[in-house]
Amino acid sequence: EESRYAPGFSEATPQRTWSVAKSIASTLVGMAVHSGESAVEDPVGLNYWNEGGGVDARASITIDHALRMATGRYSDTAGNRTDPIYWGGATIDENMTKWPLIHSPGTVYRYANNDTLLAVKAVDQYLYYYTPAALLAQMDMTNTVIETDWKGGYVLSSQVWSTAPDLANLGQLYLNNGVWNGERLLPENWRDYVSDPSGPQPEGRQWGYGAGWWTFRRPEGNAFEGVPDDAFAARGNRGQYVVVVPSRNIVIVRRGEDKVGTRFDIAAFTRDVLATLD
């Protein structure tokens, strides 16, 4: 294990994870699935979509669709920023659930914060009894804080604060294929599931998308020379990354405070780190 920090930062410095939170959300959903309380094929279960005796097509949206950014719902902005939730005082229920369908669920990829929030909403009964803080403590992520809206809804699309060691533990859980200190926390197939770009994919991108995690390979192949096909990553704005490479038995955490408009090349960094270990 090796760690390096810039002046003014240390292993105890929390930073906002931005969209690395989506991979944490996927992990919590995986714990709910492992408990038997949920399955990824289950509808997200927002019953009021069927109120009034009619049939609402959104009732066919599954947890899998939500994790894969493939609900088919309209997004008001690119990336579906959800500013009303982050900074405007709106609740998740008010802002996340209302968007209509514009595509059949499971047919089109569109990156959307609201899809991750929908996946978390689908397991909210599980998270009511087993809080995210308690679940993360099982993998020693005790310095990770998940913000909520004012009604207690977990804003797991971006609003999470964490430290580098905690994020390394997140990656290590996947390196261990869902086992921590001898206890299975995730289903046996969860690592393969989240890192499989089997759903609709981002257009015009080298990256693929799994279920809450980005993949270095796409269905048509891997565009990143020097990075194994099984590598997958949590990616956040301003330079937050957790890369898991099972075939090389390594987790890479990179945190930054990158300026708007700049983008750290995590693929090249991963390739270079792996090359030093050859």
Side-chain angles (χ1 to χ4, degrees):
E1 179 180 334
E2 182 177 348
S3 302
R4 297 181 184 180
Y5 297 94
F9 293 84
S10 74
E11 63 180 13
T13 305
Q15 285 176 277
R16 186 180 173 192
T17 65
W18 297 88
S19 288
V20 168
K22 294 178 173 67
S23 301
I24 296 174
S26 174
T27 303
L28 296 175
V29 172
M31 290 178 168
V33 171
H34 180 61
S35 76
E37 293 294 321
S38 299
V40 295
E41 300 85 6
D42 290 345
V44 293
L46 298 187
N47 293 330
Y48 56 81
W49 280 350
N50 286 329
E51 288 181 352
V55 176
D56 191 318
R58 290 175 294 181
S60 65
I61 296 172
T62 66
I63 294 173
D64 177 72
H65 294 149
L67 289 176
R68 294 188 182 278
M69 304 288 188
T71 65
R73 295 185 299 161
Y74 173 77
S75 294
D76 54 337
T77 60
N80 186 227
R81 288 173 50 89
T82 55
D83 289 3
I85 297 174
Y86 291 176
W87 297 292
T91 67
I92 290 172
D93 282 341
E94 289 170 334
N95 190 257
M96 176 273 294
T97 58
K98 65 183 180 180
W99 303 105
L101 284 182
I102 56 175
H103 303 287
S104 296
T107 62
V108 175
Y109 171 94
R110 180 174 172 84
Y111 190 85
N113 292 336
N114 281 338
D115 279 8
T116 298
L117 295 174
L118 190 62
V120 175
K121 180 71 175 176
V123 299
D124 64 351
Q125 288 299 309
Y126 178 78
L127 297 180
Y128 177 81
Y129 290 103
Y130 305 98
T131 66
L135 294 172
L136 294 177
Q138 294 181 77
M139 64 186 90
D140 299 326
M141 290 180 64
T142 54
N143 293 311
T144 297
V145 176
I146 300 171
E147 294 186 10
T148 67
D149 64 25
W150 64 272
K151 285 192 173 181
Y154 296 106
V155 190
L156 272 155
S157 49
S158 291
Q159 306 294 81
V160 176
W161 294 78
S162 192
T163 62
D166 272 23
L167 294 181
N169 285 355
L170 174 68
Q172 187 66 45
L173 176 67
Y174 283 89
L175 206 62
N176 296 346
N177 200 22
V179 175
W180 192 266
N181 288 336
E183 180 182 0
R184 175 158 294 283
L185 304 182
L186 295 172
E188 290 186 15
N189 68 337
W190 196 253
R191 184 176 73 187
D192 292 339
Y193 168 70
V194 301
S195 62
D196 180 13
S198 61
Q201 294 297 300
E203 295 184 0
R205 302 286 296 273
Q206 290 180 304
W207 289 84
Y209 201 78
W213 291 75
W214 292 89
T215 63
F216 286 84
R217 65 181 174 92
R218 292 174 61 91
E220 63 270 24
N222 183 348
F224 298 103
E225 185 177 354
V227 179
D229 287 353
D230 66 344
F232 58 103
R235 299 171 55 194
N237 196 12
R238 312 291 175 87
Q240 317 304 316
Y241 298 98
V242 180
V243 179
V244 183
V245 191
S247 60
R248 297 295 301 273
N249 196 35
I250 189 170
V251 173
I252 300 168
V253 175
R254 191 271 178 179
R255 299 191 308 163
E257 291 287 354
D258 299 343
K259 295 180 180 179
V260 175
T262 65
R263 188 173 292 278
F264 184 79
D265 191 343
I266 188 60
F269 185 69
T270 298
R271 178 199 63 216
D272 293 345
V273 168
L274 295 176
T276 66
L277 301 176
D278 287 338

